[in-house]
Every structure is written in structure tokens, then in C-alpha cells.
Amino acid sequence: MPYDAQLPQQPSLLGVAELLPTKHLRRSDLRSASNLLSLLEDCHNYLYANEGLLKEKIFREVVKLLAIKLYEERYDSCPVLRFCITADEYRAVLAGRSEEFIERIKQLYAQMRGTLLRFFPDPEIHLSPLSIAYVVSTLQWVSLEQTAADVKGEAFQVFFTRYQRGDRGEFFTPHPIVELAVQMIAPQPEEVIIDPACGSGGFLIQAAHFIRTHFPEVPISCYIDERLYGIEFNPDIATTAQLRLALEGAQEPRIQCANALEVGLELEERFDVVLANPPFGSRGKVNTPHLLQRYELGHRWRRAKQGWHPTHLLSPGQPPEILFIELCLRLLRPYGRMAIVLPDGVLQNATTEHVRDWIRGRAELEAVVSLPQHTFVPYGTGIKTSLLLLRKRPTKPHQVFMAVPQKIGYDVKGQPLYLRDCDGKVMHDPRGKPIVDSELPSIARLFHQAETAVPNLLAFWTPIESLNHRWDAEHYLPHDALILDRLNNYPSRPLHEVAEIVTATDCFRANPNQKIHYIAISDIIPQLSIVASRQVLLASEAPSRAKYRLQEGDIITAVSGASTGTPQHASAIVSASEAGAICSSGFAVLRNFQGVDPYYLLAFLRSEVFLRQVRRQLRGHAIPALSTDDLAQVLVPIPPEPLQRKIAQLVQEGINASRKGLDNLQQAESMIQQVLQGNEGELLGSEDFSIPPSSE
């Protein structure tokens, strides 16, 4: 019988002593628990309210107590338990006579450290006797060994991840992404797996769950001890990984507390599978010379006719995820497989093109799953990422699986999203569990169907030879490819052939006291393609992004920001009243049009044909941006001049009407101000106008 079913009310130090046992519990008294997460949350809430500790310290102390409970269940042969508290001991703690109880817990902790000293270097439990008693009373009836693996997995996943918030770029990997990676890799019982940035062990535990489900004949404790290996830099989190794997049944889980970039190369070519979400972000680069020199990607690279080549010069600093890419591939045996989460900048940016070239020479790209922008937001960062699958062997012609899911089972706050019926009620599976609204299970299934699956809006296949300098899945969407085919079969020209893209910036800052009109992306009304407002600033007050001086007839179009390439994309034609203004570098400025009507071109800049070309060329994992070189290659369909003029006339009439409407609205706003100033008569052209008397 589960513990929570046996005891509907939890024993509490704030409750009555009669709820506690009168004598020490025996092993036969322990029960499995189906509500382990709520018990852990009770412990956390009590300690947070009564100990005055930071959450990281609470976490550390709870881990110690969980470890000694597991140690006693697994290694202590005495039938009478020491991890318990009786009613009399409870009264003694309240009376300040806790010596016997605390001494017993300290002895148990010391014995546990004798086995796991490297993970518990602290010789003390830093909690008050009352708090230790509370945690023990809450957990004493639970058998961690008997509690179902999925219950323990969910409880510890939720509980532990609240303490991993990416202070140094070590962002926790959400469980749906972990599950997707393992399902796509599909580890086999004989394969040895490593996660060189294992965190609390999520990838390794999910691999164990996969083996338990698909190969039930494999002894799971032996599998974990013999086939799973992890490296984690943070001692507290390494301890968590050790404990979680122990809870899964491992006797001696192999978690090494070290810097993987330092020690990982000692394990070169020893593993069949690598699963990793390496540290990433902008909080710091690896700039230690002795580390950089051990990695090819720790050097500067130069481009030659034959491709990219490393130099003898070290990089001044390399983002850790770049070095981890090399480490992960070097850990693999030939033909080994790897699933790794990376920022999209690694797949897109020109500055990382040599990294992709390095990978291409050593492995074949098997899959790219673009993860939604909000994937890591609940866990500390909004950086856009993708999941890559690689196989360590020379590339050969094959199809690369790509997917662009939008639904991953939770929202931007990390709250679960469930499937609902037509009445809005949450749907449940045959076991009564709510069905999560996620496309990730379908992606794993489609990946393994390969030859028989039909490409769709969620997943598709791209020939490896069709890949250019970019690897992000959005760059290869089938619908975009269809648009490009149509453009190539229609009279079309690259944008740089029909308009000059201004590159010369204005030197208005030479006169810091002059007033300028400044136009930002937010000053454009995208639906109307007009400039709605301008900011008046001193040149010395202008933002650093103020760059280009505008001329009448110029077209400005956004090349940076979250709205770029969406229906809210900002484009406008510059009127006479806006000429001379300075615009943001978030715009590209087009002028000197050749063979195309400017108003027709403006209409094209509003079209889905243009926006989709922009979206597939966007770069940057934090702020999406389009380089002027990529903008220059956007294809513009060139219809016959009569059709151009007809389209241009519609656009010009619409813009003129919009400007007139905007002028009318601004005039109305001005009249309101004059009404409040008592100028009603002047507004109506009548001197005898007066305000009607108040009804009061």
C-alpha cells in the first residue's frame, strides 16, 4: 500500500505527538509513496520558513538527509531503522533535549560519508534539531527503494530543477527535450553512454528508463553502473546526479565531479553514445591557454580556397559550447552517435561557419530539431536552440531529418499544456493521466520511420548535398523551397540589382548640439507602411544605433528585432517631411531603384514571398537579425511595367490615404487640447460659442 494511501495526514512537528510512532520503525513498516514530490515540497517549505537559509543551502541539506535515508535502506542490515523519530523523541526535541536523536542521525550521516565522501565533503548537517526532526518525520515512512521509478524520477526532476537556474550558463534541460533526445538516439543495452555536462543526470536517467522499458530483461542497476558515465563541474549538482542514479537502483554510479574540458580528453573514443546539453550563453568564454591549445576549435581559423583551416594562434576566448562540440565528438568511438543541444547561433552565424566545417569533416549530420523560442525560458534563458544528432564517420550522401515543432508540452512559464476536447475539458489517457499537448513524441516516431514517413509541416527530409553554410531547420522549410523554385522560374532579380543598399553612415555627431529627427523601428506602422512619428533629439543624445540619413523616396525596411520577417515587419517609404531624418541601424535603407517602381517594391516588402525569404535568412539566437549581404540576395519578382504601375498606384493611393487619416487624427488630438484651453469658439469659427451649463 502506498505511504500516502496508508496515512492520509502527514505527521507534522506542528501537530500532535500521537501522529508519530511510539517506537522505532522497522524495515517492514516502510511503504512506497506515490506523492513523493509533495513530501519533498513540504520539507522545503518548512526549512525555508524556519531556517532562514537560501534555497541553495536548503537544497544541499535536503540532499544530505535523502542520501542517509537511501544509505540506510540499501546498506544497513539492522531491521530497526535509525532514520525515524518517535513521539517521545519529538517531545524531547521540543523541550530542547535532542541529543540522543541528533547523535543517531549524525552517526548515520558519518557512515554514509564513509562510502560517498567525495560527494559529501561537509562533515556536518547544518540544520537545527527541530528542522532535522521535521524532515525525518515527513520521510520516515517512505521506502525510497520500493517507490516506483517514474514517481521518483518525476519528484526529483521537479524538486531538483528549482535549484538549477543557469548562473554560469548551465541551463537545466527540460524533461520533454531530454526524452526526445533519448528516444531519437534509442540507446542499446551494450552501448556505453556519457554526458560530459550531466547536471543532475537527466539524460542518463532517461537512458536508463529507455532500457528498462525496451529491454526489461536487462538488470537496470548493473546497466547504470556499467554503461552510464557523467561529468559535472558543480559539486552540489554532481551530488544530486549521484543520488538520483542511486535512487534508480545503481550501486556505484559513475559521476565524476570535474571540469569536463579538463579531464574529458582522457576518455577519448571510449563511448558509443554522447548525450549533452553543454553550458552556453554570454556569461563568459573559455580563455585559459592550456585548455584552448588542447582543442582544434580553441584556435583561430582562416578560410582558404580549400575550406577552413586552423592556425597556430589561440582564440582570445571561446564559448564553452564550441569546445564541448569537439570534446563530445572526440569522446565517441568511430560510428558512435551523439545528441546535443546547441544555440542556433552555432548553426547560423558566419562567425561559427568554421565550426560547422570542422564537424562536417568528422561526422555526418543526421537530424536537426529546431526548438521553440520559449523552450529554455522557464529555466533561465530565452536563447533559441536546436537539438542535433550526429554520427561519427565521414559524411556520405543521405537525407537529413529536420523538424520544427511548436508544441512541447509546456508554456513560457513552464506550466504544462494539455490536450482539450471541443468543450475545453482536459483529455486523459486510459490510465487517467492528462494528455500533454506536445509534438515531440511524433518527431521521434517520424525520425525512426525515415523511409516510410510522409514529410509534413512538422518534419521533413533534406538531402545532405542540399545543405549550404547553414544548418538551422527553418532555413530548409519545404514551403520556402517551393517559393524559391517559383521565383527562380519567374523573371526575378536579387534585391541588390534593383536597389542600392546604403552602407555609408552619417557623421551628424560631429555637431553634438544640433537637433535631429530620429526614426526607430517602433515609429513605423507596419500595416500602413508609413512613418507614424519621429523623435526630436540632440545629436549628443542620439542612441548608438542611429546611423543613416534619409532622403525623400528612400525605402526603409527592418533587418533586426523580434518582428523581422513576421506580419509585423516594418517597412516604409520616406516622404518629403521625413527627409533628412536619421534612422536606426535596425533598418536597411534602399535607394536609387533600377527597373522597379519603388511603390511596387514596397508592396513586395509586405508580401509573404519577401517575409519568408527574410525568415529563412535570419541569424542570431538572442535578437534575430538579417545581414545586408543576405538581404541583398533576396529575390524580387519583376512583373511587366504595366502591372508594376497598377500595383504601385494602389500602394501609393493607400499610403496617401493613410497619411491623410493620420493627419486627421493628429489634428483631432490637437483640437482636444485646445478645447481644454477654452478655445472652443475659435475651433468652431463662432465668437458666441459657450460651454453648455452643467446639469448639476
Side-chain angles (χ1 to χ4, degrees), residues 342-610:
L342 291 172
D344 275 11
V346 177
L347 313 185
Q348 303 170 341
N349 293 344
T351 55
T352 53
E353 188 173 338
H354 69 283
V355 177
R356 300 189 289 276
D357 189 74
W358 183 90
I359 296 172
R360 191 180 288 113
R362 293 155 181 80
E364 68 177 33
L365 181 65
E366 292 197 325
V368 180
V369 179
S370 172
L371 303 176
Q373 186 79 47
H374 69 272
T375 299
F376 282 90
V377 169
Y379 307 100
T381 180
I383 291 177
K384 173 76 174 63
T385 59
S386 292
L387 173 67
L388 268 67
L389 266 68
L390 299 163
R391 185 181 294 270
K392 187 176 181 178
R393 65 182 181 188
T395 58
K396 64 177 184 179
H398 69 283
Q399 298 279 320
V400 178
F401 176 84
M402 293 190 172
V404 187
Q406 301 301 318
K407 301 175 182 179
I408 55 176
Y410 59 90
D411 61 17
V412 71
K413 295 182 179 180
Q415 297 301 310
L417 295 176
Y418 299 116
L419 279 177
R420 297 179 181 272
D421 60 21
C422 56
D423 296 324
K425 295 181 180 179
V426 174
M427 301 175 65
H428 294 77
D429 64 18
R431 296 175 297 172
K433 292 186 65 175
I435 302 175
V436 175
D437 191 5
S438 174
E439 296 167 326
L440 301 186
S442 297
I443 288 174
R445 187 165 55 252
L446 289 167
F447 173 70
H448 289 294
Q449 289 176 353
E451 301 298 328
T452 58
V454 178
N456 52 55
L457 294 176
L458 178 62
F460 54 94
W461 286 261
T462 299
I464 186 68
E465 59 270 18
S466 297
L467 264 61
N468 54 33
H469 57 282
R470 295 177 59 150
W471 287 2
D472 48 313
E474 285 88 351
H475 192 71
Y476 298 95
L477 291 171
H479 184 63
D480 291 350
L482 181 62
I483 288 176
L484 290 174
D485 285 342
R486 289 176 177 173
L487 285 168
N488 286 321
N489 291 322
Y490 188 87
S492 303
R493 294 165 63 188
L495 183 60
H496 71 89
E497 292 184 7
V498 300
E500 174 193 352
I501 302 176
V502 175
T503 57
T505 59
D506 193 84
C507 56
F508 66 90
R509 289 184 176 83
N511 183 1
N513 294 320
Q514 71 168 320
K515 288 186 177 180
I516 65 165
H517 287 180
Y518 173 66
I519 299 175
I521 291 177
S522 58
D523 295 319
I524 304 294
I525 301 178
Q527 295 83 355
L528 303 180
S529 297
I530 60 174
V531 179
S533 61
R534 291 162 287 171
Q535 304 172 49
V536 180
L537 305 169
L538 289 177
S540 60
E541 299 172 342
S544 60
R545 56 187 177 275
K547 297 288 185 182
Y548 308 115
R549 189 174 296 274
L550 300 176
Q551 300 177 8
E552 181 180 2
D554 286 349
I555 291 177
I556 54 177
T557 187
V559 291
S560 178
S563 297
T564 307
T566 75
Q568 299 301 313
H569 185 107
S571 297
I573 197 161
V574 178
S575 68
S577 64
E578 293 137 14
I582 304 295
C583 79
S584 164
S585 58
F587 290 111
V589 180
L590 310 179
R591 67 171 58 129
N592 297 332
F593 307 101
Q594 300 177 14
V596 66
D597 188 293
Y599 284 94
Y600 165 76
L601 182 59
L602 183 60
F604 169 71
L605 297 180
R606 293 171 52 90
S607 71
E608 182 66 10
V609 174
F610 170 74

